[in-house]
Amino acid sequence: MSDLQERARALDTADELAPLRELFTLDDTVYLDGNSLGALPRHVPARLQEVLTREWGELRIRSWGESGWWTAPERIGDRIAPIVGAAAGQIVVGDSTSVNVFKAVVAATRLAPEGRDEILIDANTFPTDGYIAGSAARMTGHRIVPVAPAEVPDALGPRTAAVLLNHVDYRSGRLHDLPALTAAVHAAGAVAVWDLCHSAGALPVDLDRHGVDLAVGCTYKYLNGGPGSPAYLYVAARHQPVFDSPLPGWTSHADPFAMTPGYEAADGAVRGRVGTPDILSMLALESSLDVWDGVGVEAVRAKSLALTDFFLECVAAYAPEGRVTSVTPAAHAERGSQVALRCEDAEPVMAALIARGVVGDLRRPDVLRFGFTPLYVGFADAERAARALADVLAG
């Protein structure tokens, strides 16, 4: 056994989060793609069976009230709230990330002072965010200004209405400075909208403490909610009385069952709802969140940084010189919970890794991505993945 393998074993033995791995359905595969789809918590199938057979099969429509289906979007939002540093009553779950980005960007332009006609977006944003923001801009008469997050403070001005940024870059794993950028946006009189898809469940976000206005995020990555599980929308309490959704669906109405032709928005985060909730996915997510009971985000962050540090050390020790280069920042303050390696032949390399039981993913043309979900990934996984990568590169 190599020194790195021995260190991995010792680190796993000392890891306070290691027992959480048993809560997930996993095999001998090294699963480093939780930044795309989280693993299945073991207890979720039984919960879904109960929903199918009793709540839907027996109670049927009565379950909207008796089983709490109607209030699920807000109830589950309150389960997510502590993970992203928000007080209760500010998060509603439902729809996709894309739909919530649209709601947030348009609502942000309506919250902004009059006469502002620019929406700044992360120049390296996940494509959908850019597509949605562009459509929102065309509909509202604004123009899109792409800018690198580090350059946002210099790009802000009296015409800036809203700024849409990714907390962690999906391609490189770079963590952007949410507190400083939010403060800069506010100093310019604009509204800050954050996409938390690659940070929520992996590191502290502290939405309330840093004064974020609006935020969106998915739940199928580090929150392990399942494929296509519903996303969420955060609306800071101070904005809720005037939050004006561009999708005023019937379930966000103050009296949804009155079926009146005129729209009157409900109070609170409920304003972020649109249509009938997707109950099966919603309740699978709610059950999945049980794995977070008693788990602190700070402990998750500490393990995430230790895992990614160790993986990078193993790659440096094992991989043939010059074959891969990390594009993920070395500084902890600038790193999310993934490692992205530039590799000239990324696609066949990742295919070979998967064949060897190490599952990551890639971003064309030349980036290998390895996501580290601290709830179930261990140090032995990191060492094995680096060793397998070295074998593939040497072959």
Side-chain angles (χ1 to χ4, degrees), residues 132-158:
I132 295 292
S135 178
R138 292 192 299 274
M139 293 175 63
T140 59
H142 291 69
R143 72 183 189 98
I144 293 292
V145 181
V147 59
E151 298 170 3
V152 164
D154 292 333
L156 292 163

Side-chain angles (χ1 to χ4, degrees), residues 228-263:
S229 56
Y232 56 91
L233 171 67
Y234 164 89
V235 181
R238 66 186 180 278
H239 292 311
Q240 290 177 5
V242 292
F243 176 81
D244 186 5
S245 173
L247 296 173
W250 76 284
T251 70
S252 64
H253 195 284
D255 188 0
F257 293 98
M259 304 296 175
T260 56
Y263 180 76

